[in-house]
């Protein structure tokens, strides 16, 4: 796949986005394994993503974040890297709003509550998630 083909693929509407662009509401495409509900320290409901949905065939998973609807507050027990391929996005990470611009990367630790405001047509966010052990062996090594 060359860069133009990748760009066309990332900008094309997937099935979830086709629904979200019409309704403006988040579609939970991870059922039935994807989420369960827990409570935060301040008593708010929070969705907990289940790693078993993503890691059935390896310890790293990559996807395009669905556009056109807010991603609700959630957390998980794996590392998440967000790469802003195009455009920008606003996220709330552990209660603090941040803005991610094209070309920037955000790395989220395990168990950090975060949400993402609806992305527009040209806002392409790529998610790379990995088990903690994959992150450790990929990004850190010991020099002897």
């Amino acid at each position: 796949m060359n860069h133009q083909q990748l760009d066309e693929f990332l900008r094309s509407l997937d099935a979830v986005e086709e629904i979200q662009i019409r309704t403006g509401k988040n579609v939970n495409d991870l059922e039935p394994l994807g989420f369960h509900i827990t409570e935060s320290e301040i008593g708010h409901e929070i969705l907990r993503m289940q790693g078993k949905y993503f890691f059935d065939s390896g310890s790293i998973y990559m996807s395009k974040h669905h556009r056109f609807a807010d991603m609700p507050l959630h957390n998980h027990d794996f590392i998440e890297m967000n790469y802003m391929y195009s455009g920008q996005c606003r996220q709330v990470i552990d209660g603090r709003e941040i803005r991610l611009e094209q070309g920037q990367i955000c790395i989220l630790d395990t168990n950090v509550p975060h949400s993402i405001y609806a992305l527009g047509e040209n806002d392409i966010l790529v998610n790379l998630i990995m088990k903690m052990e994959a992150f450790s062996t990929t990004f850190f090594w010991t020099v002897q």
Side-chain angles (χ1 to χ4, degrees):
M1 178 180 286
N2 64 33
H3 184 266
Q4 181 178 346
Q5 292 168 321
L6 175 63
D7 189 72
E8 289 172 5
F9 170 76
L10 290 172
R11 293 178 189 283
S12 65
L13 293 179
D14 60 36
V16 169
E17 290 175 329
E18 288 179 5
I19 297 168
Q20 291 185 171
I21 199 170
R22 285 193 325 267
T23 65
K25 295 182 181 175
N26 181 270
V27 173
N28 180 1
D29 62 335
L30 302 180
E31 290 294 349
L33 300 175
F35 290 107
H36 75 270
I37 297 172
T38 61
E39 284 192 25
S40 69
E41 297 95 34
I42 56 175
H44 289 98
E45 200 171 80
I46 186 168
L47 299 174
R48 179 122 175 121
M49 281 189 171
Q50 302 296 296
K52 61 186 172 186
Y53 176 82
F54 302 102
F55 302 120
D56 60 346
S57 61
S59 58
I60 298 176
Y61 180 87
M62 187 182 308
S63 66
K64 176 181 81 167
H65 184 82
H66 300 303
R67 298 169 287 177
F68 313 114
D70 293 345
M71 177 65 175
L73 185 67
H74 66 282
N75 66 17
H76 36 69
D77 62 357
F78 47 82
I79 301 292
E80 179 176 353
M81 294 176 63
N82 298 147
Y83 171 66
M84 200 72 221
Y85 172 81
S86 172
Q88 59 86 31
C89 76
R90 291 183 308 134
Q91 299 186 39
V92 177
I93 301 172
D94 203 16
R96 181 174 166 224
E97 186 170 313
I98 64 126
R99 183 181 174 117
L100 199 59
E101 302 282 346
Q102 181 174 326
Q104 293 181 323
I105 293 175
C106 176
I107 302 175
L108 297 163
D109 198 358
T110 59
N111 303 310
V112 174
H114 57 284
S115 60
I116 301 174
Y117 289 101
L119 302 178
E121 184 175 353
N122 292 311
D123 302 323
I124 308 296
L125 182 66
V126 177
N127 298 315
L128 177 70
I129 64 172
M130 62 191 83
K131 292 180 179 180
M132 179 58 92
E133 55 271 14
F135 181 79
S136 298
T137 58
T138 302
F139 292 97
F140 303 104
W141 62 91
T142 303
V143 178
Q144 306 256 343

